[in-house]
Amino acid sequence: MVKINGVKVQTEGRKPWADAPPEPIPGQRRKRNGIYPGWDSPEKIQQCLHCTNPDCSGRCPSKSRKKVGRPRIPMPEDFPEKEKRLRYHELIDHYGVNTTVITRWKKELRGKGEK
């Protein structure tokens, strides 16, 4: 029961997911995330019900994904001295890394020198 401008108004809430069957419909395919099409997980439903965003559109943006890939090889402590004495390909052979790693390490050294 809600009072609007002095008038009592009866409101009724409806949970659209309440009608969803507990088991999947035979022949219905699952999405890659394991949720059946058109169904949200109980966690997403609770998050939506307790949303505090004033401009809520009913669809929360997904979390940003972390960059997946190889971890960057950190620059060795002796690289500044070796970089002065050895040539580019000698550095590659000495550290056993590819050209892009040596190039990145050289850029990091220049960046540290400027600061």
Side-chain angles (χ1 to χ4, degrees):
M1 185 76 68
V2 177
K3 209 172 201 180
I4 301 174
N5 294 332
V7 178
K8 290 182 180 180
V9 178
Q10 178 68 32
T11 59
E12 184 179 328
R14 183 176 172 277
K15 299 178 182 177
W17 56 87
D19 299 333
E23 294 296 320
I25 300 167
Q28 189 175 26
R29 294 178 61 186
R30 274 187 161 192
K31 289 184 177 180
R32 266 188 267 152
N33 60 5
I35 298 174
Y36 292 97
W39 300 6
D40 282 331
S41 66
E43 293 84 20
K44 283 186 178 181
I45 293 167
Q46 288 304 317
Q47 179 185 3
C48 190
L49 289 175
H50 300 294
C51 183
T52 57
N53 184 1
D55 301 327
C56 185
S57 65
R59 276 296 190 205
C60 295
S62 61
K63 294 179 182 178
S64 61
R65 295 180 183 181
K66 287 187 175 182
K67 186 177 179 182
V68 179
R70 277 190 175 175
R72 291 184 139 203
I73 301 170
M75 181 177 17
E77 292 179 11
D78 66 339
F79 182 75
E81 301 122 29
K82 298 277 185 183
E83 190 258 337
K84 291 175 185 173
R85 291 189 286 126
L86 298 177
R87 294 181 183 168
Y88 195 79
H89 289 287
E90 291 172 339
L91 288 170
I92 292 170
D93 294 338
H94 178 74
Y95 290 109
V97 294
N98 62 17
T99 57
T100 56
V101 176
I102 298 293
T103 305
R104 180 172 51 84
W105 289 349
K106 286 185 173 231
K107 285 181 183 177
E108 287 177 16
L109 275 180
R110 281 194 305 243
K112 287 181 181 177
E114 292 172 0
K115 291 181 182 177

